[in-house]
Amino acid sequence: LEDALTVFTTLSRRFGSTTFSIGTLGLVELVLGGVIQLGYANYLLKQHDRQEASISDLFSESERFGQGFAQKFLRGLYCFLWGLLFVIPGVIAELSYAMTPFLMVEHPEMTASEAISASKDLMDGHKWELFVLRLTFIGWHIVAALTMNIGNLVLNPYRNTAEAAFYREISGHPRSAMD
């Protein structure tokens, strides 16, 4: 641990502490973000289905680290490549692949590529609906920006819960304990 801190300190001085810190956070987010994204999707679906959901659900998919990383990396790569053509194809690609984490949670046998492909199929005919759903939050994003993004602590879970409900609706099985 002491050696790791020495390396971190040396690299921070060499490359500038802010630049190095942002780069390090970006790398950590890339590596761990995918598996946490799967856990968050699991949490959101349990919450929507009115099942017992807890903070530990965020880490419930930790055994699928490789698949979580792969889905996040591939989605980002595909959206980036489509975005090189122009902004609109990148946005369409992001909307097409948006349901990938939910599909991977519900179908653990799927690989990242299969889930991305299934998300693309699932979103066929629903991309505009998701775009409009996200657009309805633009006013809230402006308000959150006025609070120096502190409002995002409430807004992001609200928006993500709405997307989980959207997934349940378009996937054809809106499960709920109340049904």
Side-chain angles (χ1 to χ4, degrees):
L1 180 64
E2 202 169 301
D3 291 336
L5 289 175
T6 304
V7 169
F8 184 80
T9 305
T10 304
L11 290 173
S12 291
R13 286 188 194 132
R14 173 88 170 115
F15 296 110
S17 61
T18 303
T19 303
F20 183 72
S21 296
I22 290 172
T24 303
L25 288 175
L27 183 62
V28 167
E29 200 277 329
L30 174 66
V31 172
L32 297 178
V35 73
I36 292 173
Q37 196 173 49
L38 292 179
Y40 191 46
N42 184 30
Y43 174 85
L44 290 170
L45 290 176
K46 281 185 173 183
Q47 186 181 41
H48 178 270
D49 298 342
R50 290 180 172 73
Q51 296 176 3
E52 182 80 28
S54 67
I55 297 297
S56 65
D57 289 324
L58 294 175
F59 308 103
S60 64
E61 301 292 320
S62 60
E63 71 279 353
R64 298 179 67 199
F65 176 81
Q67 286 297 317
F69 172 78
Q71 68 89 20
K72 184 165 182 64
F73 178 78
L74 290 173
R75 283 176 59 205
L77 178 65
Y78 295 160
C79 291
F80 172 75
L81 292 174
W82 278 107
L84 288 176
L85 294 174
F86 196 59
V87 173
I88 294 174
V91 170
I92 292 171
E94 200 285 321
L95 292 168
S96 294
Y97 309 142
M99 300 297 122
T100 302
F102 297 115
L103 286 163
M104 287 187 75
V105 166
E106 292 220 304
H107 306 281
E109 72 283 356
M110 280 188 175
T111 65
S113 295
E114 291 170 342
I116 288 170
S117 192
S119 177
K120 201 166 107 176
D121 293 341
L122 181 64
M123 289 300 292
D124 192 33
H126 297 288
K127 288 184 278 294
W128 178 251
E129 295 168 41
L130 180 59
F131 180 77
V132 170
L133 174 66
R134 289 179 174 179
L135 199 60
T136 62
F137 289 98
I138 200 160
W140 290 110
H141 282 288
I142 292 168
V143 171
L146 294 174
T147 65
M148 297 189 320
N149 289 327
I150 294 171
N152 282 327
L153 294 172
V154 174
L155 176 60
N156 287 339
Y158 179 45
R159 189 189 73 232
N160 292 330
T161 301
E163 287 193 20
F166 177 81
Y167 167 75
R168 280 289 188 235
E169 185 176 315
I170 66 168
S171 66
H173 46 84
R175 289 188 255 163
S176 175
M178 301 287 282
D179 294 342

